[in-house]
Amino acid sequence: MYAVSGALYIDEMGYAMSRLEIESDFCDDGNTIPEDFSSEQVKKPLKNIENEIAQITKLKSAPHQQLGRVGPGRPELPVSPVKMLAGRECNYSGRGRFSSADCCHLLSRYLPVNGPWLIDQMTSRAYVSQFSNDGSLFIAGFQGSHIRIYNVDKGWKVQKNILAKSLRWTITDTSLSPDQRYLVYASMSPIVHIANIGSAETDSLANVTDIHDGLDFSSNDDGGYSFGIFSVKFSTDGRELVAGSSGDSIYVYDLEANKLSLRILAHTSDVNTVCFADETGHLIYSGSDDSFCKVWDRRCLIAKGKPAGVLMGHLEGVTYIDSRGDGRYFISNGKDQTIKLWDIRKMSSNKTCNPGYRSYEWDYRWMDYPPQAKDLRHPNDQSVATYRGHSVLRTLIRCYFSPAFSTGQKYIYTGSHNACVYVYDLVSGAQVATLKHHKSPVRDCSWHPFQSMLVSSSWDGDVVKWGFPGSAQPPSASTKRRVSRRHFLDDYL
């Protein structure tokens, strides 16, 4: 049984198929496509997606070219898993195994859409949920002062339960150090706290008491103004933190010197999100309620506060930015109910004010998005592609690229105010999957870096995991939905 979802179709095993794949599968059996597959239900591909990003994605997630070859004059057909397995047995690659692109092609077709399995249930809103870089730990931050760190490899046992200090309103962000020894967390305060969470082998249900210090991000330039931190991230080497604040500024904190090393008055409104562009730490991306995304090059910050470039296209504030990790592409979630894909080579050298497009009063914290604004387009949109379908209201909802290891960053996924998780195809823009379980907004969600597993958390207090049958652990007594089917693909991979 198939379910239509944009230009792709999800079968009951969580297998994403294009119309062409279904056509070839049914034709092989001498049957026809079911009547419910009409051309009107297939979403048209994005018109302005750049060939370069499409080609890069294909190289990372497409099977070996020999498997896709057909006779002269015939269109290239999608490669089925059976054909790939047969090709591997024949050693078509000459290496006796699947290439990384082959693995991505197989794993990315089996989306984590089955479930969910309940991991935890709290009485306060969940604001942050993230896997560690190696997938062994999972961090969830709640409005009620608790930050829970789960050991994924030990059956999601709570390894640490940190009680946040001096919490203002809620935990707005957390970040785990690259060596997984320290966790920083922020709230609506200029003080970012750092806690020693110990090694992954040390189980503890007690609050962290050995190291739990406050890092002061305020400076003399702030004039005593008490601001809040919306976003905080470790650098790749773990020596610095970058943060964005309600004081319209970006901060860089030197952990070795234990002092603030840089403050940039970056935007004209709240800086909701910041991140490093790549492993070098030279480039910083920022997004603000002023609707602009900016790129900052620390190597040439001659004039304080001058960005390397500005990217415009959002009509409302930017809630989150996720870098592709190549120092070139990133995505942003916006209060204009869109995700945008950006190429920093298209950025402007100077900020250009948005035109007077807004003829309505609107506050995303308590109002629905105006119907008359849904069809508006920025006249100077510099984005590469735009993705629509989810809703960004009430809170700073986050979006991400899918993992490079298992999908070749083929997808984009996001939480949503309407209590769902949406997965989009990066190149076609199709809604590949919609995960429904929660009863309140899903602010954050995280895809396991190596497994076909996705965890979502919501204001309803639920933290749940999704997978495809065979990839997730057997359901426990607290399972809300049981899935008995298993799939053979795990055995082959």
Side-chain angles (χ1 to χ4, degrees):
M1 185 67 182
Y2 296 94
V4 179
S5 180
L8 302 181
Y9 307 92
I10 307 299
D11 70 4
E12 61 182 5
M13 303 301 292
Y15 177 51
M17 305 178 71
S18 69
R19 182 181 180 88
L20 187 56
E21 288 175 296
I22 295 175
E23 254 180 31
S24 61
D25 284 352
F26 274 90
C27 289
D28 287 343
D29 295 333
N31 297 322
T32 58
I33 303 175
E35 292 181 359
D36 58 337
F37 289 108
S38 62
S39 58
E40 290 78 16
Q41 291 174 304
V42 180
K43 185 176 180 179
K44 294 182 179 179
L46 294 171
K47 293 181 180 180
N48 61 336
I49 190 72
E50 203 170 64
N51 182 61
E52 182 186 71
I53 186 68
Q55 186 66 19
I56 292 173
T57 305
K58 181 179 179 181
L59 290 174
K60 284 188 173 184
S61 60
H64 195 279
Q65 58 182 1
Q66 290 185 4
L67 294 177
R69 289 179 179 174
V70 293
R74 296 182 60 190
E76 184 176 323
L77 296 175
V79 180
S80 69
V82 174
K83 187 175 183 179
M84 292 185 67
L85 292 169
R88 190 189 67 173
E89 296 302 315
C90 297
N91 195 20
Y92 68 89
S93 66
R95 292 181 290 178
R97 59 181 175 83
F98 283 145
S99 66
S100 60
D102 290 335
C103 292
C104 285
H105 181 72
L106 283 175
L107 290 171
S108 66
R109 291 154 65 99
Y110 291 83
L111 297 173
V113 298
N114 290 85
W117 291 268
L118 184 66
I119 294 173
D120 204 350
Q121 194 170 44
M122 300 287 282
T123 57
S124 65
R125 296 174 173 179
Y127 271 75
V128 180
S129 55
Q130 284 296 295
F131 279 106
S132 60
N133 289 335
D134 65 358
S136 64
L137 300 177
F138 184 82
I139 297 95
F142 300 87
Q143 189 175 20
S145 300
H146 286 278
I147 303 172
R148 289 197 166 186
I149 302 177
Y150 305 87
N151 192 313
V152 179
D153 298 333
K154 294 185 178 180
W156 294 88
K157 183 178 180 180
V158 177
Q159 179 168 297
K160 294 283 185 181
N161 186 21
I162 303 172
L163 186 63
K165 289 184 177 181
S166 307
L167 186 69
R168 291 188 183 178
W169 176 242
T170 184
I171 294 164
T172 54
D173 202 6
T174 64
S175 183
L176 190 63
S177 64
D179 60 7
Q180 299 185 182
R181 293 179 57 194
Y182 299 98
L183 179 82
V184 294
Y185 63 89
S187 68
M188 294 305 295
S189 163
I191 306 298
V192 171
H193 287 87
I194 184 168
N196 185 351
I197 66 170
S199 64
E201 290 75 31
T202 304
D203 294 334
S204 174
L205 290 177
N207 294 332
V208 177
T209 56
D210 48 348
I211 296 179
H212 197 160
D213 295 334
L215 309 175
D216 191 355
F217 276 64
S218 61
S219 65
N220 295 331
D221 297 335
D222 295 318
Y225 170 66
S226 181
F227 55 87
I229 301 291
F230 287 116
S231 177
V232 62
K233 295 289 182 293
F234 267 101
S235 61
T236 306
D237 59 13
R239 296 178 180 179
E240 292 180 315
L241 296 172
V242 62
S245 79
S246 61
D248 310 345
S249 299
I250 297 173
Y251 301 86
V252 177
Y253 195 96
D254 189 328
L255 291 171
E256 292 186 337
N258 195 26
K259 67 177 183 179
L260 192 69
S261 60
L262 178 65
R263 182 210 176 206
I264 307 169
L265 187 58
H267 291 267
T268 58
S269 191
D270 294 352
V271 180
N272 296 323
T273 175
V274 290
C275 68
F276 289 103
D278 54 23
E279 295 182 353
T280 66
H282 297 314
L283 294 179
I284 296 173
Y285 299 146
S286 66
S288 166
D289 270 342
D290 62 14
S291 80
F292 294 109
C293 297
K294 294 186 178 182
V295 182
W296 306 86
D297 192 337
R298 300 171 62 191
R299 295 165 295 185
C300 55
L301 273 175
I302 300 173
K304 187 177 181 181
K306 185 176 181 180
V310 180
L311 290 158
M312 55 189 150
H314 279 296
L315 297 174
E316 302 289 347
V318 179
T319 64
Y320 197 75
I321 285 176
D322 185 44
S323 173
R324 200 166 184 267
D326 54 11
R328 185 169 294 176
Y329 293 98
F330 69 90
I331 56 173
S332 62
N333 222 350
K335 296 177 183 178
D336 56 3
Q337 317 302 300
T338 68
I339 293 174
K340 287 187 176 290
L341 173 67
W342 307 90
D343 182 347
I344 68 171
R345 293 169 296 181
K346 295 180 178 293
M347 61 189 180
S348 303
S349 57
N350 298 311
K351 182 177 78 170
T352 303
C353 293
N354 283 333
Y357 56 84
R358 197 170 178 178
S359 59
Y360 54 88
E361 291 297 326
W362 176 68
D363 190 325
Y364 99 117
R365 292 172 296 180
W366 58 277
M367 298 172 68
D368 291 334
Y369 196 58
Q372 65 268 32
K374 293 180 180 180
D375 295 328
L376 290 178
R377 299 293 183 270
H378 197 294
N380 301 315
D381 191 352
Q382 296 168 293
S383 63
V384 174
T386 302
Y387 308 84
R388 291 182 173 86
H390 62 293
S391 57
V392 183
L393 298 168
R394 310 296 183 267
T395 185
L396 303 177
I397 290 173
R398 302 178 167 195
C399 64
Y400 304 94
F401 288 100
S402 62
F405 177 85
S406 58
T407 70
Q409 296 177 306
K410 184 178 179 179
Y411 302 115
I412 291 171
Y413 64 102
T414 179
S416 180
H417 169 258
N418 66 351
C420 299
V421 176
Y422 289 80
V423 183
Y424 298 98
D425 185 280
L426 174 69
V427 177
S428 72
Q431 288 182 23
V432 177
T434 304
L435 310 184
K436 299 180 180 180
H437 159 77
H438 296 286
K439 305 300 182 184
S440 298
V442 177
R443 185 179 189 266
D444 204 2
C445 49
S446 186
W447 198 316
H448 193 284
F450 304 111
Q451 300 176 24
S452 291
M453 178 197 306
L454 188 147
V455 176
S456 60
S457 62
S458 167
W459 278 10
D460 61 14
D462 283 3
V463 179
V464 299
K465 64 178 179 178
W466 307 79
F468 73 88
S471 67
Q473 297 175 359
S476 62
S478 61
T479 299
K480 290 193 171 183
R481 178 179 171 188
R482 296 183 178 276
V483 180
S484 60
R485 300 180 297 271
R486 311 290 287 182
H487 204 277
F488 69 89
L489 185 61
D490 282 354
D491 298 332
Y492 285 97
L493 294 180

